[in-house]
Amino acid sequence: MPAEPRPTLPPVRLHSDAELARDALAAPLLSRAVRLARWAGPATRVGASGELVEEQLPQAAELLGLGADEDGQAYASEAWRVALDTGLVEVTDPDDDGGGDRGDGGDADAEGEFGTAAPGPDLALVTGGSPTDVLDLWLAALDTVLADAAVPDLDDLVDALDEGGDIDFDRLDWNPQREADFLDGVLANLYLLTVAEGGAGENPVPLPVLAASMVVPEDMADPTDEVLEQVSDAMMRLDDQFRQLEPIGLVEFRPVDEQLMAEADDEEFTAAAEADDEDVSRYGMVRLTPLGLYGVRARMLEAGVEAPAVGDLADKGADVLLDVVSGYPDAAAGAELEQWLAEAARGAEDGTGRGTAAAVEELLAAARGGDPG
């Protein structure tokens, strides 16, 4: 049999692109971004980097049905930023001869002139694009949300401002690349805990388990006090980050119980991973949605990680199929074989393939190899 690279992760069963696209458009944050993009017009004023000016935020929040929410304007600002980054809206300078993009960091005119906004060309993809187009928009929105989630708490940023108004990164102890890599690692571990044979599957993962997977060395049977403190710190970071990631539809998240957070010490946080289900849920639970599985896998593929999906081998020969699925867990191997045979059946129906009977013969021949018996 020809050599075929072994997957580094178990295969995942994904929903269809059409189902995932519907989930993407239903995600609260992308839905808000689309509504703001349709609202944008000549009267919409934006600042130096394309952000909505403060006077526009109440109207934007009201449009989104968040006027009575104390965080409504912050949510509106976040949705507008997503609309900008995904191309759902575009902004221009009023006096720019070329109508150039207002994302150059220049200041608004001293007389109070601001940039203008209009629906961007990608807004048409929401209703007129393919499911793949919609998913590409969602992935771009996800990039924006992940970048925001890796930024420290606003209070920490304010404390780290020097006299000149610049951020003292040494004082903040924040490395943007390190934080982004940490969050990517967390999502990769959550993905693995979800798709692994005997893993969580559709069930949520306790936050202490996920935090420990990032901190506790595999060969450490009894974590030290220092490691327990690191697990506790990681849990608090993840609690904040998953709150930000839920509105984009990446995860379903039950936050850490605030009363428990105020009372528990580091050892109790880690011990929660071995407690009964009712106790564990108080320490936070997180689950990748079907859209989340798609999104994390897409990011891993972009990073060069082998992350197969059930159905990837549907157009391969029987010899390649058997070679690859021999390294799959039993359930995943069975699902891949079903997909392969189903593709053969569809091919017979539309005249593009060999049919089920011929596919089974090919499969048996590949399994026998050079053995005439």
Side-chain angles (χ1 to χ4, degrees):
M1 294 183 184
E4 184 80 9
R6 294 294 186 190
T8 58
L9 289 169
V12 61
R13 185 187 288 273
L14 296 175
H15 288 192
S16 70
D17 283 358
E19 292 174 302
L20 293 171
R22 285 195 293 269
D23 290 345
L25 292 175
L29 185 51
L30 185 58
S31 175
R32 292 169 186 168
V34 169
R35 291 172 67 183
L36 289 181
R38 290 171 174 159
W39 163 76
T44 308
R45 297 186 301 163
V46 298
S49 299
E51 75 281 5
L52 285 174
V53 298
E54 187 174 350
E55 291 80 3
Q56 295 264 226
L57 288 175
Q59 184 180 355
E62 196 68 38
L63 174 76
L64 299 176
L66 301 171
D69 191 319
E70 62 178 355
D71 296 319
Q73 294 186 32
Y75 293 145
S77 178
E78 179 186 29
W80 181 262
R81 187 166 60 256
V82 166
L84 272 178
D85 290 349
T86 56
L88 294 173
V89 298
E90 57 183 10
V91 296
T92 58
D93 287 322
D95 297 325
D96 187 350
D97 293 338
D101 194 321
R102 186 61 188 251
D104 59 3
D107 292 330
D109 184 292
E111 296 181 0
E113 292 185 359
F114 295 88
T116 58
D122 287 346
L123 181 59
L125 298 177
V126 172
T127 54
S130 67
T132 301
D133 292 329
V134 172
L135 290 172
D136 285 343
L137 283 175
W138 181 83
L139 286 172
L142 177 62
D143 285 342
T144 296
V145 177
L146 287 172
D148 287 347
V151 174
D153 183 83
L154 183 59
D155 292 336
D156 293 336
L157 284 173
V158 171
D159 291 341
L161 290 175
D162 59 25
E163 294 181 358
D166 296 323
I167 298 175
D168 184 346
F169 287 101
D170 291 333
R171 181 179 172 187
L172 183 61
D173 190 28
W174 176 63
N175 181 299
Q177 189 59 53
R178 182 185 65 201
E179 294 299 322
D181 290 344
F182 175 83
L183 189 50
D184 279 338
V186 166
L187 294 177
N189 278 8
L190 180 57
Y191 182 94
L192 180 58
L193 288 169
T194 301
V195 304
E197 188 172 24
E202 296 183 357
N203 297 317
V205 174
L207 206 57
V209 172
L210 186 57
S213 75
M214 295 296 297
V215 175
V216 181
E218 292 184 5
D219 57 353
M220 180 177 286
D222 298 312
T224 63
D225 290 343
E226 181 181 359
V227 170
L228 291 175
E229 184 177 352
Q230 292 174 5
V231 171
S232 176
D233 290 343
M235 284 181 58
M236 294 304 96
R237 289 165 65 190
L238 294 177
D239 181 75
D240 179 64
Q241 289 171 332
F242 284 134
R243 289 172 191 260
Q244 297 178 66
L245 295 175
E246 188 171 35
I248 196 60
L250 188 77
V251 296
E252 291 179 0
F253 181 54
R254 176 172 176 172
V256 178
D257 187 306
E258 294 186 3
Q259 181 179 355
L260 187 64
M261 196 185 310
E263 297 174 354
D265 60 25
D266 296 335
E267 292 187 9
E268 288 175 316
F269 273 125
T270 305
E274 300 177 358
D276 60 50
D277 291 342
E278 183 177 355
D279 288 335
V280 169
S281 66
R282 297 187 66 199
Y283 289 82
M285 305 287 285
V286 62
R287 181 182 81 89
L288 282 172
T289 64
L291 185 60
L293 283 169
Y294 166 84
V296 175
R297 176 177 181 264
R299 290 178 62 82
M300 290 195 294
L301 290 175
E302 187 177 357
V305 177
E306 289 185 60
V310 172
D312 281 352
L313 304 175
D315 61 347
K316 304 296 183 184
D319 53 350
V320 173
L321 172 72
L322 292 181
D323 186 43
V324 176
V325 300
S326 65
Y328 281 5
D330 290 345
E336 191 65 64
L337 286 167
E338 289 177 10
Q339 289 273 358
W340 190 82
L341 291 171
E343 185 65 23
R346 281 193 292 269
E349 292 176 0
D350 59 23
T352 63
R354 56 197 179 284
T356 303
V360 171
E361 290 183 7
E362 181 185 346
L363 199 60
L364 292 174
R368 286 195 299 265
D371 182 357

